[in-house]
Amino acid sequence: KVLIDVPRSDLAEELAQSQTKVQVLQDTLQQVLDRREEERQSKQLLDLYLEALKNEDGILSKVAASEAAPGKEMDEVDTGTSSTGTAAKTALSDRILAALKEKPAPELCLDSRDLELVLKEDTEALSSALRWDKQKAEALQQACDQELSKRLQQVQTLHSLRSTSKGKKTLP
């Protein structure tokens, strides 16, 4: 970073090289820093994705257990006596709904697991829970889908980078 920030003329003089060669050196260093930052971000995303998968497995096992033994909540929905109103229509938590309502770009604030939940949600139920029109709810779901696709692309890029660099050196 220091070599990139040094004025080109000073660095060229110190290294006894032309300014063109120093510019190439600084550009290469900047590319390396950019790549490292992308790798760091991709690793973070991969870690979040793996954590989300673990959480999803836990949630799926809980859902399977609750479906095997339906409880009071199922009875209320079935008989129509639920006092939760729109909460009975959506599987989204209050935290997710609050983020969707309050944030200008909620798809950037939610983790991948929450984005998947928003995508799986019925558009009618989502618009009802948020008290939005159907078009706005559809636009939100499209934005969530695009963000999730972007994150998946970053994870795939990380895998590609790792497989490419695997032959060059062993990663920890």
Side-chain angles (χ1 to χ4, degrees):
K1 181 70 177 146
V2 171
L3 289 174
I4 294 169
D5 294 337
V6 171
R8 195 170 295 131
S9 58
D10 293 348
L11 188 58
E13 183 180 316
E14 193 66 34
L15 295 175
Q17 295 290 326
S18 69
Q19 285 194 17
T20 306
K21 287 185 179 182
V22 169
Q23 180 180 359
V24 171
L25 172 66
Q26 286 180 323
D27 290 345
T28 302
L29 290 171
Q30 184 62 53
Q31 289 172 355
V32 169
L33 284 177
D34 292 345
R35 189 188 80 236
R36 284 182 181 174
E37 178 61 20
E38 287 175 4
E39 288 173 355
R40 185 192 64 76
Q41 289 177 356
S42 294
K43 183 182 180 315
Q44 278 183 323
L45 275 172
L46 181 59
D47 290 342
L48 287 172
Y49 180 74
L50 293 174
E51 184 179 320
L53 284 177
K54 287 179 190 175
N55 290 340
E56 186 174 320
D57 288 342
I59 290 172
L60 290 176
S61 64
K62 287 179 185 176
V63 168
S66 70
E67 286 177 354
K72 181 181 175 185
E73 199 172 302
M74 288 292 284
D75 293 338
E76 288 178 358
V77 173
D78 291 342
T79 61
T81 60
S82 174
S83 63
T84 56
T86 58
K89 296 179 185 178
T90 180
L92 301 177
S93 69
D94 291 337
R95 178 188 57 80
I96 296 173
L97 290 173
L100 294 174
K101 286 180 186 178
E102 297 168 5
K103 304 289 183 178
E107 67 276 7
L108 300 177
C109 303
L110 297 175
D111 63 26
S112 297
R113 182 189 50 161
D114 292 343
L115 290 175
E116 288 176 350
L117 290 174
V118 172
L119 286 174
K120 289 177 185 176
E121 191 63 51
D122 178 61
T123 307
E124 291 286 336
L126 184 62
S127 64
S128 174
L130 295 172
R131 294 188 174 99
W132 290 354
D133 61 30
K134 188 175 178 181
Q135 290 175 336
K136 191 172 179 181
E138 286 174 350
L140 172 70
Q141 286 181 314
Q142 287 175 353
C144 290
D145 186 36
Q146 289 172 352
E147 178 63 22
L148 197 58
S149 295
K150 181 179 134 187
R151 292 178 186 182
L152 180 60
Q153 178 64 36
Q154 288 178 331
V155 169
Q156 290 170 343
T157 301
L158 174 66
H159 286 296
S160 176
L161 285 171
R162 285 200 175 181
S163 65
T164 301
S165 66
K166 200 172 198 175
K168 295 179 183 175
K169 67 176 183 177
T170 305
L171 294 175

